[in-house]
Amino acid sequence: MFAGLKETGMSTMTTEEFVKHQYMTLREEIRASKSRMFWLLIICTALVSAMGFIAFQYRNMFASASMPFLILVLMVSFIVEQHTVIRAGRYIKEHIEPNLKDITGWENWLASSPRFRDVERYFFGSFLIVFFIFYGVASGLAVESLSSYSMEHGWYAGVGYVVAGMWFVVVLIRHWHACTTT
């Protein structure tokens, strides 16, 4: 089971040591994902605002046309990070904490009442609402910008933005429960 450890000169771990190491690794993964979510939120807000300014100020058609897709990529990135946190927490709750005796672990305590997860749901929902608004505004500006170049381009872009938006809604609906519970 731990053959690789013998090759590196390390002795075989006990099950308890392995579980402890696994727990510490998962907690570090959760911490890193939460940090990435924070920076993703900051960068998203700054990048979308900057691209919006460039698109408006310089009438840059490429900036206008690409901004809705950039927003979707950023939103999906946020969902991936949220899902990573929840997945690691669920593993801790289901595979590590059941082995604790006479102690309620953090993940089981969080799962004991839906109100303990309200903050995550509100934050996740607020992020998505704000960025859906960004997406709608960016899509409208992009269609307007492309329509001024060619009405045909505006129609193609509009259809593309609607299809991409619908795709994101399907992804969001599919992952909403997984991203807001343990």
Side-chain angles (χ1 to χ4, degrees), residues 128-143:
L128 292 173
I129 289 169
V130 167
F131 277 87
F132 261 124
I133 292 169
F134 277 169
Y135 182 76
V137 169
S139 296
L141 291 173
V143 168

Side-chain angles (χ1 to χ4, degrees), residues 1 14 32 45 61 91 102 124 131 133:
M1 181 168 158
T14 65
T45 304
M61 187 173 30
Y91 186 87
D102 303 322
F124 186 65
F131 277 87
I133 292 169

Side-chain angles (χ1 to χ4, degrees), residues 119-162:
V119 171
E120 285 93 351
R121 272 191 291 280
Y122 296 151
F123 179 73
F124 186 65
S126 298
F127 174 85
L128 292 173
I129 289 169
V130 167
F131 277 87
F132 261 124
I133 292 169
F134 277 169
Y135 182 76
V137 169
S139 296
L141 291 173
V143 168
E144 182 181 322
S145 174
L146 290 168
S147 293
S148 68
Y149 176 73
S150 161
M151 191 57 106
E152 189 174 282
H153 286 83
W155 276 103
Y156 293 146
V159 169
Y161 299 138
V162 167

Side-chain angles (χ1 to χ4, degrees), residues 1-155:
M1 181 168 158
F2 298 103
L5 293 175
K6 289 209 183 248
E7 294 170 7
T8 61
M10 295 178 68
S11 62
T12 304
M13 281 186 192
T14 65
T15 301
E16 186 177 295
E17 290 170 329
F18 178 75
V19 170
K20 180 180 177 183
H21 181 71
Q22 191 176 35
Y23 173 79
M24 298 303 288
T25 301
L26 288 167
R27 292 305 305 170
E28 185 56 38
E29 181 177 337
I30 290 169
R31 187 177 295 116
S33 284
K34 286 198 166 267
S35 176
R36 284 190 299 268
M37 285 181 353
F38 172 77
W39 286 108
L40 188 60
L41 179 63
I42 299 299
I43 290 168
C44 289
T45 304
L47 192 59
V48 168
S49 299
M51 279 191 73
F53 175 77
I54 290 168
F56 178 77
Q57 186 69 25
Y58 300 106
R59 305 278 186 240
N60 187 307
M61 187 173 30
F62 179 75
S64 291
S66 63
M67 194 163 55
F69 295 117
L70 171 69
I71 292 168
L72 287 179
V73 167
L74 295 171
M75 288 168 65
V76 168
S77 298
F78 187 82
I79 286 176
V80 166
E81 291 300 329
Q82 179 74 5
H83 195 72
T84 298
V85 169
I86 297 298
R87 185 180 57 220
R90 182 175 294 132
Y91 186 87
I92 290 169
K93 179 181 133 198
E94 294 175 2
H95 297 282
I96 295 175
E97 289 183 359
N99 298 320
L100 300 174
K101 293 179 181 31
D102 303 322
I103 297 173
T104 299
W106 174 252
E107 295 297 333
N108 278 299
W109 179 80
L110 281 175
S112 69
S113 174
R115 66 185 170 91
F116 296 152
R117 286 283 186 197
D118 283 347
V119 171
E120 285 93 351
R121 272 191 291 280
Y122 296 151
F123 179 73
F124 186 65
S126 298
F127 174 85
L128 292 173
I129 289 169
V130 167
F131 277 87
F132 261 124
I133 292 169
F134 277 169
Y135 182 76
V137 169
S139 296
L141 291 173
V143 168
E144 182 181 322
S145 174
L146 290 168
S147 293
S148 68
Y149 176 73
S150 161
M151 191 57 106
E152 189 174 282
H153 286 83
W155 276 103

